[in-house]
Amino acid sequence: MCFNTFIQHIKAEKYHQVGFSFKLLNPVHLFQFADDAAVITGQESENQHLLNRFSIWCQWSNMIIRVDKCSTFGIKKAITKSVQYLPKLQIDNNLIPTIKIGEAFQYLGRNFDFNMSNNNHKTELTTLVNKLMTDIDSKPLHPRNKLLVYSRYVLSKLSWHFTTATLSKTWVIENIDPAVNQYIRKWLEIPISGTLSTVFLTRNKFGQSIYTPSEKFIQCQTVLRKALKLSPNQSINELWKSTNTRTNVQYDFYNSTEENLSRWGLSSSSECSLCLGPESLLHMVAGCQCYLDRFTWRHNSILNFLADTLQTVNGSALYADVPGFKSPSIVTGDAYRPDLLLSLSNGSLYVVEFTVGYETNLENNVKRKKSQI
């Protein structure tokens, strides 16, 4: 109740001007979660002013501020670039410990440093995964039970880092997936030459129904982006819009896959919003009748690239089934018209027929296209 009272007091209009603004968002000067608080300002003097108000309210409520558990972190402009410095802030005449130059601090489990590099999270993740997988490996458990512990315990321990840290899927694939895969190979006695692709399939496809860390990472990022987008707080919605860049847009796209949302308990239906069919990635990429224009566009874009490249071949005649080129039906007729024909001066004739279907349909698409030639 004390913190809520203080927050209502410090939310007054006169304190907004001392906050820190990000892009077009409203200025922020205080973050509060339970008994953890963070004060952010553009000037050191303004920060000290807010700390004084914070201290007064804590004294009024007989609450003690543990200065030894507090820390300060400062960035200032030095000529033409920003540098980290050691601010001198006090609470009740006690100097608050400062974060040393080059080091990071932690707030609500998230590490922050001057470069915002997430190196601490990466180190913690790598160490955590190796420790947990080693501990599981040392236990006298059946391999099936080891996989169960990995699926239900290890992945949940990684979720926080995957949700809060600014990591890339590539980094997770290159650093976390191999650390897990080596133990799964050991438990299931799969040689290095064998593939683990079938292990990560669902049980109805003869797999073990477990996720790779990189798949868990995508799930965490998708849930995070959806929470920001659908938050009842307007400021959080604005935060989602301001961070809707190419780094995050892939996870915003996953939000539209109703099959994933239904699987994770975030949606009551897995139907496509356009055709009411089951909305999977396969359906969206190559199955939905309402998306056929995009499918044709992808197909013709690749065909245009091939035609532009092959038309430079000397002594050749090129036929392509796209505008701007002679139609292959001139040679083959309309019934058996391929995507592309390349006739060379030595009498050779190359026939090109391709598709841009989804990866799980590659073999079926190849058979279907071969039957047309």
Side-chain angles (χ1 to χ4, degrees):
M1 182 178 296
C2 169
F3 282 112
N4 291 337
T5 304
F6 168 68
I7 290 174
Q8 294 303 318
H9 166 74
I10 207 172
K11 283 173 63 177
E13 188 68 28
K14 63 180 180 180
Y15 292 112
H16 285 182
Q17 61 184 352
V18 301
F20 178 80
S21 179
F22 174 72
K23 293 185 178 181
L24 300 179
L25 300 182
N26 295 328
V28 176
H29 59 281
L30 179 76
F31 289 106
Q32 184 76 44
F33 181 81
D35 59 345
D36 291 318
V39 179
I40 304 175
T41 59
Q43 300 291 331
E44 187 173 328
S45 58
E46 296 173 350
N47 201 290
Q48 183 63 64
H49 177 69
L50 289 181
L51 288 177
N52 292 340
R53 304 301 302 175
F54 187 84
S55 178
I56 291 173
W57 277 91
C58 288
Q59 291 176 4
W60 171 80
S61 60
N62 292 323
M63 298 186 70
I64 300 175
I65 301 176
R66 289 285 302 276
V67 180
D68 59 311
K69 296 180 64 176
C70 301
S71 60
T72 61
F73 182 85
I75 299 176
K76 66 179 181 180
K77 198 76 171 180
I79 308 178
T80 59
K81 63 178 182 179
S82 298
V83 297
Q84 183 181 350
Y85 79 105
L86 306 179
K88 296 181 180 179
L89 299 172
Q90 297 181 347
I91 293 182
D92 299 333
N93 295 322
N94 294 316
L95 186 65
I96 304 176
T98 58
I99 302 298
K100 297 180 180 179
I101 304 297
E103 294 185 357
F105 70 96
Q106 191 175 81
Y107 179 66
L108 299 181
R110 175 73 160 86
N111 293 309
F112 299 88
D113 59 15
F114 175 73
N115 296 316
M116 296 297 172
S117 61
N118 290 284
N119 288 335
N120 291 68
H121 279 290
K122 292 179 179 179
T123 302
E124 289 180 21
L125 264 173
T126 305
T127 304
L128 179 63
V129 169
N130 288 329
K131 179 180 181 301
L132 293 177
M133 297 302 288
T134 302
D135 289 344
I136 296 174
D137 184 54
S138 64
K139 298 296 188 291
L141 299 173
H142 189 278
R144 180 179 63 248
N145 294 329
K146 291 183 178 181
L147 291 177
L148 190 63
V149 174
Y150 158 75
S151 179
R152 297 189 178 182
Y153 179 71
V154 176
L155 291 180
S156 65
K157 296 289 287 185
L158 304 181
S159 296
W160 176 255
H161 293 279
F162 285 166
T163 303
T164 60
T166 308
L167 305 172
S168 68
K169 180 183 176 182
T170 301
W171 184 86
V172 176
I173 291 176
E174 293 179 349
N175 295 273
I176 305 301
D177 281 4
V180 170
N181 291 344
Q182 65 174 332
Y183 286 99
I184 294 180
R185 286 184 182 278
K186 179 180 178 181
W187 299 337
L188 300 180
E189 299 182 358
I190 299 177
I192 193 64
S193 58
T195 179
L196 292 177
S197 59
T198 55
V199 176
F200 297 108
L201 295 176
T202 56
R203 294 191 184 280
N204 62 349
K205 295 182 179 179
F206 307 103
Q208 295 297 320
S209 292
I210 58 176
Y211 293 129
T212 61
S214 54
E215 289 175 320
K216 184 65 176 179
F217 171 75
I218 294 177
Q219 177 183 341
C220 291
Q221 288 293 307
T222 303
V223 172
L224 170 64
R225 297 297 298 172
K226 184 176 179 64
L228 294 177
K229 181 180 180 180
L230 303 181
S231 172
N233 189 312
Q234 185 63 31
S235 297
I236 300 300
N237 296 150
E238 294 297 328
L239 178 63
W240 172 80
K241 293 179 182 178
S242 66
T243 56
N244 190 13
T245 63
R246 65 178 183 274
T247 304
N248 295 312
V249 70
Q250 57 180 316
Y251 307 117
D252 295 334
F253 171 76
Y254 286 140
N255 282 338
S256 63
T257 308
E258 293 297 334
E259 184 184 53
N260 287 338
L261 298 180
S262 177
R263 180 186 305 160
W264 301 333
L266 300 175
S267 175
S268 58
S269 173
S270 61
E271 294 180 348
C272 175
S273 58
L274 297 177
C275 69
L276 301 182
E279 188 178 276
S280 61
L281 285 178
L282 169 60
H283 176 80
M284 294 180 63
V285 171
C288 182
Q289 296 296 317
C290 299
Y291 281 107
L292 288 182
D293 290 342
R294 294 293 296 173
F295 180 85
T296 303
W297 174 83
R298 291 197 306 272
H299 178 278
N300 290 346
S301 296
I302 299 174
L303 185 54
N304 268 309
F305 174 79
L306 288 175
D308 289 337
T309 302
L310 294 176
Q311 70 178 350
T312 60
V313 178
N314 294 327
S316 65
L318 179 70
Y319 304 86
D321 192 21
V322 285
F325 297 90
K326 291 183 290 185
S327 174
S329 60
I330 298 175
V331 178
T332 64
D334 291 333
Y336 298 98
R337 182 178 67 246
D339 288 318
L340 186 145
L341 283 176
L342 182 65
S343 177
L344 301 182
S345 57
N346 61 4
S348 300
L349 179 66
Y350 293 91
V351 180
V352 179
E353 180 73 21
F354 68 93
T355 180
V356 290
Y358 196 63
E359 55 187 8
T360 57
N361 279 346
L362 289 181
E363 292 185 1
N364 292 334
N365 288 336
V366 170
K367 293 178 182 178
R368 178 169 55 86
K369 289 296 182 180
K370 282 185 176 180
S371 65
Q372 297 176 2
I373 300 177

